[in-house]
Amino acid sequence: MNGDEKLSDQRTATAGDAPPAAPAAPGPAEPVAIVGMSALYPRARGIGELWRLLRADAPTSGTAAGPAPRSLGDIEVDVARFGIPPAQAASLARLQLLMIEAARQCLDDASGPGGLSGRTDVVVGTCLGLDRQYANALRVDGARYARDLAGALADGPWQEAGADPGAAERELNDVLARRLGASPHDRVGEMASTIPARIASAFKLRGRTLAVESADATSYWALAHAVDSLRAGLTDAVLVVVGQRDEGRFARRALAAKGLASGPDGAADAPVLAEGLGAMLLKRRSTARRDGDRVYASVLDCALRHEGRPGTFRYSLSAGHRRAAAEAAHRTAGVAPGSVGLVECAGHGTAAVGLAEREALAALHAGAPRASVALGSVRDRLGHTFANAGLAGVTKAALALHHRTVPPAPTGAGPTAGPFRVPRTAEPWEPTADGTPRRAAVVGASLTGTVCHVLLEEHVPASAGTPVQAGTAQARTPQAVGTPLVVPPGDRLTGDGAAVPRGGAASSVRGAGEPVAIVGFGGRFADSPDADGFWRTMLSGRDRIGPLPAESFDRDLYHAPGALARGRSYTDLGAPVPVPSAPPAGLRVPPHRYAAMDAAQRLGLDVAAEMFARYGRPPHTLTGAGTVAVGSNLGLSRERRLHTGLCLDDLEADVRSLAALGALGPDEFEALTKLVRDRFGEPVPVDLPTTWDGCVASGIAALVGNEHRLDAVPVAVEAACASSLAALDVAVGRLRSGAADYAVAGGVELPCNARDMVLCSSLGLLSHSRITPFDAAADGFTPGDGCALFLLKRLADARRDGDQVFGVLRAVGASNDAKSLIAPDADGQARAVRQAFAQVEFGPDDVDYLEAHGTGTRLGDRVEIAAAAQVYGTGRRGTPLHIGSAKSFLGHTFAAAGAAGLLRTLQALRRATLPPSVNLSELSPDLALDAVPARVATEPLPWPARPGRPRRAAVSAFGTGGINYHLLIEEGTDATR
């Protein structure tokens, strides 16, 4: 059977739950070459060590030669080598340092004659909290514990023994600061998106930088997004780094409550999580060949499918969904299952999940010659590295193809009848009988219901004289009517003052530049109950910023007006959103499950209900495969609070160490700590199946998909304050690649809480009064809560389905300035703007309105206008570019900021009204508005139509770490419906 043959018609599903097959792709997509790899695992500190471990004789018990070390804590990382200032080093999460080292090893491994383009994306994957997040949360909550300690001392008999309540409170706070660390840079250092930004800065990479999380499908998501970006021509290379650490006490307890096997052999006393990191550098195969790179293997496709089932999160038991993902990968790659000689199994260790995996593989490979497919699972050597598990499997398969050796595996790795075998020793991987390249598959699944299938192919040098096989051609897809297919120009557009072309060179890349329709939307910010109330706020002439409620911000404990003080905020203003107290109508979520949800998850469910209502059809009418990408902080507040509850014994140990209480005896300490615990509150139980669900960031997206029974793969995306636009970028990439037929995208965050107020205040980020973008008195931002979500389809599909088109997304450009993690950079922002315009046929002078990021700092606002002037200041504008910012009304909503800006712009297009800014008393003299020319309106203005074209606008979002995104949108007109 050769690679040009179609999928066999003789195979039939073994389960009746297989989703309908998607239409056949018009041709195989270009493979993506793996040109560099690294590995950091407790048993393998390098890619060479990993291969030696993998090819050693298979263990019989499923664990390699005795108990496996669990920690990567002994790896030393030289922070000075990566240009990290000493003042910031202490604030960094340990995983961040390890990922920088993994990135270095990968780039060193890939150093080839062709070098590395600055147009290189960095995609990082991780799951659950980081040590710095836990420490910061415990320190801020610890201040409340210290106050409760002082209260208990003041109310009890201990003062007679010389105990001073005030001294004990101060001393405990000092102890916590020393033990947990306290730096002005903690808010930046704890963010997952700081990791890719730091990597980009260290290695001068200027492409997209973002972090993703999709439980134990995280690696597959990162890989799929990388493949999308490369095939769309948006980048020249992608560095993918995915890691998992066994941090704190929460993850093990919460996952054990889900009923997962504790270790690779299922032993109850083994660790739930195994630590591990890996990195891969990816290029288009044609680029790798041009650059003369050593190629380990090529990724033919990375297919993701999802089983949306209401209720607690659990692995899909559907063999049909697994087979559908596999067949989708084979269709995209243009190769038959019979050409696969090695399958890397997920090896979940649970009987029901293993059975579904075996049934899917048996159906996929039915009819293959006996013992022709070798099975294995990297988990037998490394344990379950959760977020990293997929990358570990792909690394193993790539090494096997590169060395042309099939690694050994333990018994029980998968089905062993018919076409399958489980090698007990390393075997030479013999050439195929028909001369097609050797191929491997890696299968995986996520606790939220996602299933994954990756196809890999050995590298055959172009000079080898072998015939071109399926999987090497580039796809060609007919474009939508009236839609130019363009590819972003190379680095010649990236210099200072470079002209922005109208459109660009024709591209044969599938779906590049294809317009995406917004067919549903919803939003909730401040006191606005929905997207229409949001628009009324934009026209009201007054902001929604005020003193935070006492339940979210304890002023006696955390407010220190007017001054920087450790553990305090100098402002108490914000724009909070009330957290929903019940699920939206029509969703049957039991009270105990709803109570276990993070506030961001509840808010996301409510806004999704509004979005689907505006779509006008039941969600289940959405057909095909989907995506739900939600911009979010990857460390949700509920997880941090639950982790703090698990650390009360540590706080009590700190109390026993206080010199101020040195006169107390053991019995007195026991009585005292019991009273303090009563005041502080007993920890919420974490040993429930619903606990983990309510703490994982991708759970926001998973709830939207699962509760509405959508075959929509969930992912959480963090790109600091640009997270929403990064999520939209991910969703648009999935739609344009054909991997998704619809998508939900947006963002949600609730920063109006004591922790975020304190951490942001310590770095001086907050305004002492209120946020006033572009004003001469601007001195920082005010936090705001919020969420906005958008339902997306390819424009051609929306037309076909008769959907109302509210707006059309034309392009998303992105870059990293690679200079500073804190200070904005005009050139970096301008690169993102140019990349957006390189995807469309119109120029900057055709854009009427710019929804600015507008953080309300004089430096940030000045740099943003200077960057806009580089691109929009073409000298050809007939009317000024109108500029505004939703933040002047609602504050800075962090991960939801870009979604707020898009919602405001979408509503403005629909109402033909240019939206105003508020609280603008005196325009900052630093702004070079005349260079555009541009104006900042303080009242709503009519938005006149221009002859021959729709109204067009742009939305910017910039994040800490030099992350820059720029989106182009045009109104939905009769021509687009």
Side-chain angles (χ1 to χ4, degrees):
M1 185 179 297
N2 63 45
D4 292 323
E5 292 180 38
K6 297 182 182 295
L7 296 175
S8 170
D9 292 331
Q10 297 177 355
R11 291 189 300 275
T12 56
T14 59
D17 52 4
E30 182 177 12
V32 170
I34 301 171
V35 300
M37 296 194 294
S38 66
L40 290 175
Y41 298 92
R43 286 193 177 277
R45 309 297 175 86
I47 203 69
E49 287 188 20
L50 178 61
W51 179 240
R52 285 191 290 274
L53 175 65
L54 293 174
R55 73 184 308 276
D57 286 347
T60 57
S61 64
T63 55
R70 287 172 49 185
S71 176
L72 294 172
D74 61 336
I75 295 179
E76 296 294 330
V77 179
D78 182 4
V79 296
R81 179 177 190 175
F82 302 110
I84 299 173
Q88 297 179 18
S91 69
L92 304 186
R94 172 66 179 167
L95 185 63
Q96 181 173 156
L97 296 175
L98 292 174
M99 284 187 158
I100 296 172
E101 175 62 18
R104 180 195 67 79
Q105 292 186 15
C106 180
L107 294 175
D108 286 350
D109 181 61
S111 55
L116 186 63
S117 166
R119 218 167 66 111
T120 297
D121 292 358
V122 183
V123 182
V124 159
T126 183
C127 186
L128 296 176
L130 306 178
D131 57 352
R132 194 68 249 154
Q133 294 173 341
Y134 290 144
N136 293 338
L138 182 57
R139 191 180 75 244
V140 173
D141 278 344
R144 183 164 59 89
Y145 184 94
R147 185 182 61 182
D148 290 341
L149 170 65
L153 287 169
D155 293 343
W158 294 280
Q159 292 185 69
E160 298 175 2
D164 183 336
E169 181 179 4
R170 290 189 296 272
E171 186 182 357
L172 180 56
N173 280 318
D174 289 341
V175 167
L176 292 176
R178 288 194 301 271
R179 178 166 71 83
L180 301 170
S183 164
H185 297 277
D186 282 339
R187 182 64 176 90
V188 176
E190 74 167 18
M191 297 164 59
S193 57
T194 303
I195 303 174
R198 182 78 69 182
I199 292 171
S201 177
F203 301 105
K204 305 297 184 289
L205 309 176
R206 295 183 172 183
R208 287 159 159 78
T209 55
L210 67 157
V212 298
E213 183 268 298
S214 188
D216 32 352
T218 297
S219 292
Y220 300 99
W221 247 114
L223 189 62
H225 177 62
V227 169
D228 283 348
S229 297
L230 286 164
R231 287 176 174 166
L234 296 175
T235 187
D236 297 322
V238 182
L239 178 61
V240 173
V241 189
V242 186
Q244 184 73 55
R245 291 204 71 208
D246 186 6
E247 308 217 62
R249 302 175 182 181
F250 173 79
R252 279 169 279 155
R253 293 274 295 272
L255 285 170
K258 298 294 292 183
L260 298 186
S262 297
D265 60 354
D269 58 348
V272 171
L273 290 179
E275 296 194 343
L277 292 92
M280 283 186 178
L281 183 64
L282 306 168
K283 294 182 179 180
R284 289 178 293 276
R285 181 186 279 177
S286 57
T287 305
R289 283 176 168 161
R290 180 201 68 193
D291 294 345
D293 292 317
R294 181 270 324 278
V295 177
Y296 283 105
S298 293
V299 178
L300 301 182
D301 197 49
C302 180
L304 308 174
R305 294 296 295 265
H306 189 78
E307 183 184 15
R309 293 194 300 172
T312 56
F313 295 162
R314 55 217 184 270
Y315 290 107
S316 170
L317 301 181
S318 168
H321 271 80
R322 284 170 169 77
R323 184 182 172 190
E327 292 183 339
H330 280 282
R331 276 193 301 271
T332 301
V335 300
S339 65
V340 171
L342 171 67
V343 175
E344 175 68 16
C345 301
H348 290 287
T350 59
V353 177
L355 177 62
E357 185 174 273
R358 290 193 297 273
E359 288 181 351
L361 289 174
L364 186 69
H365 292 277
R370 182 172 180 80
S372 62
V373 182
L375 300 177
S377 176
V378 74
R379 196 177 299 192
D380 70 293
R381 304 305 176 106
L382 303 178
H384 187 8
T385 55
F386 211 69
N388 168 263
L391 199 69
V394 173
T395 300
K396 176 185 172 183
L399 287 170
L401 288 164
H402 180 64
H403 293 284
R404 297 177 177 176
T405 300
V406 177
T411 57
T416 56
F420 304 109
R421 72 184 192 281
V422 178
R424 298 295 297 142
T425 60
E427 301 174 354
W429 195 337
E430 301 297 340
T432 60
D434 57 6
T436 56
R438 298 169 178 87
R439 296 188 180 113
V442 181
V443 299
S446 161
L447 191 52
T448 55
T450 298
V451 294
C452 321
H453 201 93
V454 181
L455 285 178
L456 299 170
E457 181 177 270
E458 72 172 320
H459 180 62
V460 179
S463 60
T466 56
V468 175
Q469 306 292 340
T472 62
Q474 202 167 334
R476 289 168 174 82
T477 303
Q479 64 200 70
V481 176
T483 303
L485 278 182
V486 296
V487 66
D491 291 336
R492 67 183 184 275
L493 270 183
T494 60
D496 293 340
V500 177
R502 289 175 176 270
S507 169
S508 60
V509 177
R510 173 184 310 186
E514 185 171 7
V516 171
I518 300 175
V519 298
F521 62 91
R524 184 172 297 185
F525 296 86
D527 59 354
S528 302
D530 54 27
D532 291 333
F534 169 91
W535 180 244
R536 289 192 293 270
T537 294
M538 295 299 110
L539 303 180
S540 68
R542 66 179 184 87
D543 66 46
R544 296 303 190 266
I545 295 169
L548 294 178
E551 58 268 22
S552 60
F553 187 77
D554 187 329
R555 285 169 179 75
D556 292 340
L557 186 58
Y558 295 116
H559 191 204
L564 286 174
R566 189 185 73 195
R568 303 292 185 93
S569 170
Y570 49 78
T571 180
D572 65 345
L573 298 182
V577 169
V579 178
S581 58
L587 294 187
R588 297 181 179 179
V589 181
H592 73 279
R593 273 193 65 225
Y594 195 74
M597 291 181 187
D598 186 85
Q601 295 178 334
R602 296 187 191 183
L603 187 59
L605 274 180
D606 265 36
V607 173
E610 179 197 350
M611 174 194 69
F612 286 128
R614 189 168 277 109
Y615 174 56
R617 301 174 186 172
H620 69 260
T621 62
L622 291 165
T623 58
T627 286
V628 183
V630 178
S632 167
N633 184 329
L634 296 193
L636 297 186
S637 293
R638 182 170 178 81
E639 182 200 357
R640 302 189 203 200
R641 287 197 305 271
L642 292 177
H643 183 269
T644 294
L646 294 174
C647 294
L648 288 184
D649 55 344
D650 289 339
L651 295 176
E652 291 166 357
D654 290 330
V655 170
R656 291 183 173 88
S657 73
L658 299 180
L661 303 179
L664 301 186
D667 292 342
E668 291 171 306
F669 269 118
E670 183 175 352
L672 174 62
T673 55
K674 184 179 184 304
L675 280 177
V676 178
R677 187 176 283 238
D678 290 341
R679 286 172 174 258
F680 188 77
E682 285 288 341
V684 176
V686 299
D687 300 316
L688 301 172
T690 55
T691 301
W692 186 86
D693 300 8
C695 294
V696 64
S698 62
I700 304 169
L703 282 167
V704 171
N706 289 356
E707 295 304 315
H708 293 284
R709 298 182 181 273
L710 300 178
D711 177 2
V713 185
V715 65
V717 179
E718 188 189 315
C721 306
S723 296
S724 292
L725 294 195
L728 281 152
D729 188 34
V730 167
V732 168
R734 296 264 84 191
L735 288 166
R736 286 177 170 173
S737 73
D741 299 299
Y742 62 90
V744 175
V748 57
E749 190 162 355
L750 293 87
C752 293
N753 60 72
R755 183 191 69 251
D756 282 318
M757 297 285 286
V758 166
L759 294 179
C760 290
S761 182
S762 67
L763 197 56
L765 300 175
L766 303 181
S767 170
H768 287 263
S769 54
R770 66 187 58 226
I771 185 171
T772 54
F774 312 119
D775 194 85
D779 66 343
F781 64 79
T782 304
D785 297 338
C787 175
L789 296 174
F790 305 88
L791 181 59
L792 311 175
K793 288 185 180 181
R794 289 179 290 269
L795 179 58
D797 293 347
R799 286 172 175 161
R800 176 201 66 201
D801 298 339
D803 296 324
Q804 182 176 1
V805 176
F806 298 107
V808 181
L809 303 181
R810 294 302 314 275
V812 185
S815 72
N816 188 285
D817 60 43
K819 291 182 180 179
S820 169
L821 261 71
I822 300 175
D825 176 75
D827 292 339
Q829 293 178 11
R831 276 195 300 275
V833 179
R834 291 190 181 102
Q835 192 189 76
F837 278 105
Q839 300 170 46
V840 296
E841 80 286 1
F842 57 86
D845 50 313
D846 292 316
V847 172
D848 307 313
Y849 174 70
L850 169 61
E851 173 67 21
H853 191 56
T855 54
T857 65
R858 287 192 64 169
L859 174 62
D861 292 348
R862 175 177 62 80
V863 168
E864 182 169 6
I865 297 302
Q870 286 189 32
V871 184
Y872 286 94
T874 62
R876 298 191 298 270
R877 298 198 64 87
T879 57
L881 176 70
H882 290 264
I883 297 177
S885 175
K887 292 182 182 65
S888 63
F889 290 89
L890 305 167
H892 190 348
T893 54
F894 290 38
L902 177 57
L903 180 60
R904 172 169 137 120
T905 306
L906 179 67
Q907 292 283 56
L909 286 166
R910 296 180 65 225
R911 265 72 175 196
T913 300
L914 292 163
S917 292
V918 73
N919 297 333
L920 184 61
S921 300
E922 179 186 352
L923 206 62
S924 171
D926 299 337
L927 305 180
L929 293 174
D930 291 342
V932 178
R935 62 173 295 184
V936 181
T938 56
E939 60 183 14
L941 297 172
W943 190 341
R946 292 203 207 175
R949 71 159 180 84
R951 296 173 177 86
R952 295 191 176 110
V955 182
S956 285
F958 309 123
T960 303
I963 300 172
N964 311 302
Y965 276 83
H966 194 76
L967 179 148
L968 298 176
I969 181 176
E970 61 190 26
E971 66 181 324
T973 66
D974 289 340
T976 63
R977 292 195 176 95

